[in-house]
Amino acid sequence: MTVNPSGWRPSAPANEQGEAQTVTGNRALMLEEPLLFEIGKTDQTGVDFAEMPERSSRIGSLERSKPIDLAGLSEPEAVRHYTRLSRQNYAIDLGLFPLGSCTMKHNPRLNEKVARLPGFADVHPLQPQETVQGALQVINELAFWLLDLTGMHGVAMSPKAGAHGELCGLLCIRAALEARGDKREVVLVPESAHGTNPATAAFAGYRVENIPANAAGRVDLDALKARLGPDVAAVMITNPNTCGLFEPDMKAISDAVHAAGAFVYCDGANFNAIVGKVRPGDLGIDAMHINLHKTFSTPHGGGGPGSGPVVLSEALAPYGPLPFAAKYPDGSYKMVEEENAGDEHPNAFGRMVAFHGQTGMFTRALAYILSHGADGLKQVAEDAVLNANYVLRSLEDVLDAPFAESGPCMHEAIFSDKGFAGGLSTIDLAKALIDEGFHPMTMYFPLVVHGAMLIEPTETESKAGLDQFIAAVRAIAERAKAGDQSLKGAPVHAPRRRLDETLAARKPILTYREPEPAQAAE
Ligand SMILES: *Cc1c(COP(=O)(O)O)cnc(C)c1O
């Protein structure tokens, strides 16, 4: 197939519905085009170089022996290609992103401005430490804020995401158990847990066992107590949990776990619902990761960097990993590493990363914390919870809301597709939301609710924005309950129609193909 950069096609037939097609395949400002490697030729470049004179190579065997096959494009061609692709995507800067569990909130531009200051953006981890005192101070100050907000004893700043933080916490727990000569093999995880929890426990070498939920969507305390014993190393609990519910028995859970000689790991990904309101340290938690990129707003969701510092109780803090940024009495900052940990931190289990963690994320999180202040952070939690309850109460008459009876939710509201007719299910409602200009909610998670729809509006949405979203969901839910089969074709207005996501994942087609008529955007 020969194509030009915008996917020109020689004929312009009408589609199945008899609507005129464009010659280019483009639809107004939404452009169709093949992949970069199909547009660009490997034997040309976007820049005209003069012929190379004959020369003898001085790099010997390191000289390239075969072509690198990069597509040769000019800068505008490459920039436009990626900009066009990005326009087919949805982003937090375009609209509400109701993905439950993900906390997709607005990222204040102030954070970005601060993170781009050359003193933060242009530093290198191997630079002499006396030249990056400001960056080390940011790590140290953020660490103190996190300790203050959580009421914990120590914090490991270096883990690079929530899941990485989970691993760090479990490695601390293992080191603490080994230090007392206690070999325990089992980690208990509630059924509603995020998939990373059992995956982390297994990765850390533990056997994972589930703890059941009770009818109110909380951990079944009696079942947990019955299972605790000398083989249990830790319990991993998410609070607020992934049904958007607070675990009111948290202190009783911690007490029981400690009495059995085990540790409490808390998945703190949902900390935005309780920040400034509850200190995990007061609930008896031993280790908890904080997703800076969720609670403290730093951008994520498009594969951008994350950061998952882990706060640690007094019992676990001695085992936390190296390095960390310490402040010395003369006011200077220094990384405590293997060579200078000495008497100060001799029991560290090791290190999680090559350098110090995600400086850009630290800077953004600290800017967010300082610009909100203590009162502002408390309001973050209150508004996140208020918005989620507004969604819950505005939709519970049209959508099944399994835990609505048991009181208010926290920062996310859970619904199910119970009551949909004509074989329609959660995915049909979610895909129809795309046509209405919204990113779908989290679907089929947590697993404890059949056909789950988990909606987290976050605190950065206005009432007017929520009302638009609620109106769209209400209208689609009514159609789903009436068995409207046209929902099965949704989305109809997106650049692509409904995709076979399983097939796409299992048998990806890595070249451009013109959309089938039925797949073309309407
Ligand atoms: C996001 C999330 C995680 C994993 O965090 P990452 O930063 O994506 O690794 C773990 N648990 C819960 C409940 C989450 O929402």
Side-chain angles (χ1 to χ4, degrees), residues 101 161-163 166 194 196-197 238 242 267 269-270 289 291 293-294:
S101 210
E166 291 171 26
H194 193 266
T196 50
N197 291 191
T238 311
T242 40
D267 180 328
N270 300 332
H289 72 262
N291 304 59
H293 50 286
K294 293 178 182 173

Side-chain angles (χ1 to χ4, degrees), residues 37 41-45 63-72:
F37 285 85
K41 292 197 171 64
T42 54
D43 59 358
Q44 71 187 31
T45 72
E63 194 169 15
R64 184 175 292 141
S65 58
K66 51 180 194 296
I68 50 172
D69 285 344
L70 285 182

